[in-house]
């Protein structure tokens, strides 16, 4: 495992922990898109079904279990425990416009036409756009809490680091996965505008706002 993969995993874990702590400490999920969190739970569920069929390493298995557990814990906090604070009026992105095309694409473009491989491919494609409901929600409300922007920053950083990881593996291991790279590029591009606002506003102590 190279340093980019490891720091990418840690950034991903940091994003998840930041979000969970934000919800738990404030006893509120205001400003958080429940739809994005459902999509991420679906991403982890379909990607890590290989937990039932193979063992790679203790680190690999532990991280997969943590991701799945935290994803469903977040969904539970939003839709059950702190449901009264959930801003459903602004979380209105039509997720079927993401899930259906992504599902179709996974059937058409994959490495191997087998159930587990199609589901893995589906998860890669879906993860690249799963943040859209959250970004859409921020654009509707016009602003985001600082802690929410930290969550988004680390989530975007994770994907950017993984993109570098794929490049590293290509040059030093000869490994090349076009599906993962293209999906990673798409996901990173979606974060570009947010990264700019994060650096120019949030890191300077200002509140992040987007045009509604």
């Amino acid at each position: 495992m190279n340093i980019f993969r490891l720091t990418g995993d840690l950034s991903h874990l940091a994003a998840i922990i930041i979000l969970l702590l934000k919800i738990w400490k404030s006893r509120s999920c205001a400003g958080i898109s429940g739809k994005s969190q459902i999509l991420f739970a679906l991403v982890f569920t379909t990607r890590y079904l290989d937990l039932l069929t193979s063992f790679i390493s203790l680190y690999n298995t532990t991280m997969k279990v943590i991701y799945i557990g935290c994803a469903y814990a977040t969904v539970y906090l939003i839709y059950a425990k702190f449901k009264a604070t959930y801003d459903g009026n602004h979380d209105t992105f039509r997720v079927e416009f993401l899930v259906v095309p992504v599902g179709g694409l996974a059937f058409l473009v994959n490495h191997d036409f087998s159930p587990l491989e199609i589901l893995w491919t589906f998860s890669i494609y879906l993860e690249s756009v799963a943040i859209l409901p959250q970004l859409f929600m921020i654009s509707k409300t016009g602003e985001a809490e600082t802690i929410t922007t930290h969550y988004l920053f680390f989530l975007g950083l994770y994907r950017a680091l993984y993109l570098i990881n794929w490049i590293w593996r290509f040059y030093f291991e000869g490994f090349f996965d076009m599906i993962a790279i293209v999906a990673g590029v798409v996901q990173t591009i979606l974060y570009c505008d947010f990264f700019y606002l994060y650096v120019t506003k949030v890191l300077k102590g200002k509140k992040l706002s987007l045009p509604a």
Side-chain angles (χ1 to χ4, degrees):
M1 180 185 298
N2 62 64
I3 188 65
F4 300 112
R5 168 82 181 270
L6 179 60
T7 51
D9 284 345
L10 294 178
S11 294
H12 196 184
L13 187 60
I16 294 171
I17 292 174
I18 286 171
L19 182 63
L20 279 172
L21 287 178
K22 181 267 181 193
I23 296 174
W24 188 257
K25 285 188 173 182
S26 66
R27 317 296 287 180
S28 170
C29 56
I32 303 299
S33 169
K35 291 186 176 182
S36 269
Q37 296 311 311
I38 287 176
L39 292 181
F40 281 124
L42 184 58
V43 164
F44 296 138
T45 302
T46 53
R47 181 174 303 172
Y48 299 143
L49 286 173
D50 63 345
L51 281 170
L52 304 175
T53 61
S54 60
F55 177 82
I56 298 174
S57 68
L58 180 60
Y59 171 83
N60 184 276
T61 298
T62 301
M63 293 301 281
K64 289 177 178 178
V65 171
I66 289 174
Y67 289 152
I68 294 173
C70 288
Y72 281 98
T74 304
V75 171
Y76 166 75
L77 292 179
I78 294 174
Y79 287 100
K81 190 167 184 64
F82 302 125
K83 183 179 180 180
T85 65
Y86 170 55
D87 188 8
N89 291 328
H90 287 116
D91 193 15
T92 56
F93 193 94
R94 299 285 295 276
V95 294
E96 62 268 28
F97 291 155
L98 298 178
V99 176
V100 174
V102 161
L105 185 61
F107 268 95
L108 295 172
V109 184
N110 51 66
H111 294 309
D112 179 50
F113 199 76
S114 64
L116 282 181
E117 188 63 32
I118 290 173
L119 287 172
W120 178 86
T121 305
F122 170 80
S123 77
I124 294 295
Y125 293 152
L126 184 60
E127 186 183 24
S128 69
V129 294
I131 199 62
L132 283 176
Q134 180 66 66
L135 297 178
F136 182 72
M137 187 176 185
I138 292 175
S139 73
K140 287 198 71 176
T141 59
E143 61 183 24
E145 294 181 25
T146 299
I147 194 67
T148 304
T149 63
H150 293 333
Y151 157 71
L152 289 172
F153 173 77
F154 279 102
L155 202 59
L157 180 62
Y158 137 70
R159 182 41 61 185
L161 286 168
Y162 252 66
L163 197 56
I164 299 174
N165 162 64
W166 292 122
I167 296 172
W168 174 279
R169 293 191 66 183
F170 173 71
Y171 277 103
F172 293 97
E173 300 175 15
F175 182 82
F176 184 75
D177 189 328
M178 179 60 77
I179 289 176
I181 290 176
V182 171
V185 169
V186 170
Q187 189 172 357
T188 304
I189 289 174
L190 290 177
Y191 282 93
C192 283
D193 186 46
F194 169 80
F195 278 145
Y196 172 76
L197 292 172
Y198 185 86
V199 171
T200 58
K201 290 190 175 184
V202 179
L203 294 184
K204 294 182 178 179
K206 300 177 183 178
K207 196 166 188 177
L208 185 144
S209 60
L210 296 173

